[in-house]
Amino acid sequence: MLSMGDGPYDFSGVTLQKGVIEKDVYPFTSFIANVVNTCNNTGYKTYTNSISEVISTEYLDKYNYHVIQDNGGLLWGPFLWRKLFTTNFINDVTNNQNNNLRQCLKTSDVYDWYNKTPMTLGHSTIDLAIPPENTSKTIDTQRGYYPWWDLNKYKLEAFYWGPLGHVGGIIPFVMASNAKFNTLRSGGLFNEWAALTSKIPDNQQKTSPLYSSQIKLNLHNLELKEIVDFNTEKQTRKSVTNNNLSNLKDGVYLLKVSDNNSEKLIPYIKNTPNAITEKEIVKSDNNNILTLKLDENELTQINIFDENKNLIKTISREDYKKDEGINLKIIDNQNNIFEIITPYYSLQFNKKSENLTRLNERTEIFSKNKQIFIIAKDSLKDIAIYSISGSLIEKTEIKKNHFESKTLESGIYVVQVTNNNGKIVSKKVKI
């Protein structure tokens, strides 16, 4: 779900104060009238004898027709919200913290619903209807319901769509909806946008190059011609001479690109991956195979960069499954940035990977596909595998620097390796 506020649509106590009382204009005052009616029907009656104590004489008939009789409509209310209500009601809501409307909104405060559905909230800096503080507070509160090790909390995120008002945010909102969630599936340009991230069969390319990395974008054979920036007071257009988008700030953009001499417009959401610690994301690091605390079926790909953000390796979901994690043996000794791409969120963490040369200086013992593998720099003399209870499972004399066992049952084994120099290495291995 992508919400044009703090969905479900936010009319919390914060919005009442900052978005209504402290302003003269509220974009859709009829919405406030519906909120009042909902509170009246849910145990927070805003009047003593009659609704005329709340709704002004000028708009009482319209209120009864559109709200009470449930005929709908958003445009029947006044532009200046105070004209909709009586002076006594406005004064009481403004000055009385125990006013029933305030109490109603407080108990239904948007921050307190426990959302478990992937959601991205858009926020602006000058939205009269929904203060931007709501978005950041909502994200913090919602993520707070999850324990720190649960990566599902990152399915709740937010992006900034610029200094636009509530109505002005419609354009980047629609763009973001199409680009990220494929909410529109038909109609010319929108259909192209939707196709960018449509659900397609497993045997086809899943990730558009535009969303293959947020750390260092690679447009491949697309040539960038122009960027439309929706994150400024007025949208701006900028011609470009290279494909570098790494300097863009987080927000919503429209890119004009050339593909085989054919120009097209595609939306782009710049959303820097959440930086987390290695402890938060790494489940285990055994025998230089790094496994992560996420559902491998949610994984799109993993990008590995050096400390200068040069791409070293991209690992697909299929590679991750085949190796049962990230194979660190392919990475040289340095501080690396790991970027985790999923359909719901992007994360990044730093880790220092060990040098391949150093790995070869010792005997490596690891399991894979219900077998035990041994790799050493020099030739080995013999290998013995014992069950955890001490029973000999397999013993072999070899004159090679590598070994793979027969297929074994799941369990814990003790592997004892004797090198040609007589050195004995023992290790417990889980299969």
Side-chain angles (χ1 to χ4, degrees):
M1 174 180 180
L2 182 131
S3 169
M4 203 170 168
D6 295 336
Y9 201 99
D10 176 17
F11 197 79
S12 67
V14 174
T15 299
L16 174 66
Q17 184 64 39
K18 287 181 169 281
V20 182
I21 291 176
E22 295 179 8
K23 308 286 184 182
D24 292 323
V25 176
Y26 187 85
F28 298 108
T29 49
S30 55
F31 178 73
I32 308 177
N34 280 278
V35 171
V36 169
N37 183 56
T38 299
C39 290
N40 287 335
N41 293 328
T42 55
Y44 294 91
K45 203 171 180 180
T46 57
Y47 59 89
T48 304
N49 299 310
S50 167
I51 191 62
S52 62
E53 299 167 24
V54 175
I55 305 298
S56 67
T57 302
E58 182 182 357
Y59 285 93
L60 189 57
D61 288 343
K62 291 182 178 180
Y63 175 85
N64 286 326
Y65 176 80
H66 291 282
V67 179
I68 301 301
Q69 297 175 28
D70 201 21
N71 286 303
L74 280 176
L75 302 179
W76 60 268
F79 185 66
L80 300 176
W81 68 266
R82 285 178 174 82
K83 288 188 175 183
L84 179 61
F85 302 101
T86 63
T87 301
N88 286 342
F89 178 71
I90 293 172
N91 289 338
D92 193 53
V93 172
T94 302
N95 301 312
N96 180 9
Q97 295 299 314
N98 293 319
N99 174 275
N100 271 1
L101 178 61
R102 284 187 177 271
Q103 294 303 310
C104 173
L105 297 177
K106 184 177 181 181
T107 60
S108 303
D109 193 273
V110 68
Y111 314 129
D112 295 334
W113 100 95
Y114 187 2
N115 181 67
K116 296 183 179 180
T117 304
M119 175 181 288
T120 295
L121 308 179
H123 60 97
S124 164
T125 48
I126 59 171
D127 193 341
L128 295 177
I130 303 170
E133 294 95 325
N134 286 3
T135 300
S136 57
K137 186 173 180 181
T138 299
I139 291 294
D140 290 343
T141 301
Q142 290 299 307
R143 286 183 177 174
Y145 288 125
Y146 294 89
W148 65 265
W149 62 82
D150 189 347
L151 296 178
N152 282 320
K153 63 179 176 287
Y154 293 108
K155 292 181 182 179
L156 301 160
E157 56 180 8
F159 71 90
Y160 171 70
W161 61 38
L164 301 171
H166 197 72
V167 176
I170 290 175
I171 294 176
F173 166 73
V174 172
M175 288 174 55
S177 296
N178 280 275
K180 193 164 187 181
F181 294 99
N182 191 18
T183 55
L184 300 180
R185 291 177 176 269
S186 62
L189 179 62
F190 283 114
N191 191 50
E192 278 195 54
W193 294 359
L196 190 64
T197 50
S198 294
K199 209 169 186 180
I200 54 179
D202 285 343
N203 60 356
Q204 295 183 32
Q205 174 72 22
K206 295 183 182 62
T207 308
S208 162
L210 198 58
Y211 290 95
S212 60
S213 174
Q214 287 280 1
I215 292 179
K216 193 165 186 179
L217 177 65
N218 187 350
L219 287 172
H220 297 290
N221 58 346
L222 298 177
E223 182 183 356
L224 184 61
K225 296 288 189 179
E226 184 181 77
I227 300 173
V228 180
D229 185 351
F230 288 91
N231 308 294
T232 54
E233 191 71 39
K234 294 182 180 179
Q235 68 179 52
T236 58
R237 295 177 180 269
K238 179 183 177 182
S239 297
V240 293
T241 56
N242 59 57
N243 279 9
N244 184 13
L245 294 175
S246 59
N247 293 327
L248 292 180
K249 295 181 179 179
D250 284 8
V252 182
Y253 302 85
L254 187 62
L255 309 181
K256 180 188 285 187
V257 298
S258 176
D259 184 11
N260 295 324
N261 296 320
S262 174
E263 288 191 350
K264 56 184 176 181
L265 298 172
I266 53 178
Y268 175 55
I269 305 170
K270 177 64 183 296
N271 198 8
T272 303
N274 289 292
I276 61 175
T277 64
E278 182 180 342
K279 180 181 178 181
E280 286 182 272
I281 182 70
V282 174
K283 182 178 182 180
S284 64
D285 183 1
N286 294 323
N287 302 300
N288 291 288
I289 298 294
L290 199 68
T291 57
L292 305 176
K293 296 176 184 175
L294 54 75
D295 183 350
E296 61 183 19
N297 292 312
E298 288 187 357
L299 185 65
T300 301
Q301 68 185 48
I302 299 167
N303 300 313
I304 305 174
F305 301 88
D306 65 19
E307 55 191 347
N308 296 317
K309 297 185 178 179
N310 297 309
L311 183 63
I312 298 172
K313 179 75 176 178
T314 293
I315 296 173
S316 67
R317 179 170 61 195
E318 291 72 23
D319 291 336
Y320 183 89
K321 287 183 174 181
K322 182 183 68 175
D323 292 335
E324 299 181 348
I326 304 171
N327 186 356
L328 299 179
K329 299 170 189 174
I330 60 175
I331 306 170
D332 202 1
N333 180 33
Q334 55 190 327
N335 292 316
N336 296 114
I337 303 170
F338 291 76
E339 180 185 26
I340 313 299
I341 306 293
T342 79
Y344 308 112
Y345 54 83
S346 297
L347 304 172
Q348 60 176 314
F349 69 97
N350 296 331
K351 180 178 175 58
K352 186 172 183 178
S353 304
E354 295 185 74
N355 189 286
L356 189 59
T357 303
R358 289 180 57 199
L359 293 175
N360 286 334
E361 290 175 354
R362 68 175 188 269
T363 302
E364 292 185 73
I365 305 170
F366 59 95
S367 63
K368 183 178 177 182
N369 299 329
K370 300 213 170 196
Q371 290 179 278
I372 292 175
F373 293 83
I374 301 172
I375 302 173
K377 182 179 179 181
D378 301 311
S379 294
L380 304 172
K381 184 177 180 182
D382 60 63
I383 294 165
I385 301 175
Y386 299 88
S387 69
I388 193 65
S389 62
S391 301
L392 180 64
I393 304 299
E394 183 176 350
K395 186 168 184 177
T396 307
E397 290 186 8
I398 60 173
K399 293 184 179 180
K400 298 184 294 184
N401 67 344
H402 61 276
F403 165 81
E404 61 181 82
S405 72
K406 62 185 180 182
T407 301
L408 301 169
E409 295 181 0
S410 298
I412 299 175
Y413 297 85
V414 177
V415 182
Q416 190 176 83
V417 179
T418 305
N419 295 328
N420 271 341
N421 59 11
K423 182 179 179 181
I424 298 175
V425 177
S426 295
K427 184 174 181 179
K428 287 183 181 178
V429 177
K430 183 178 180 180
I431 293 181

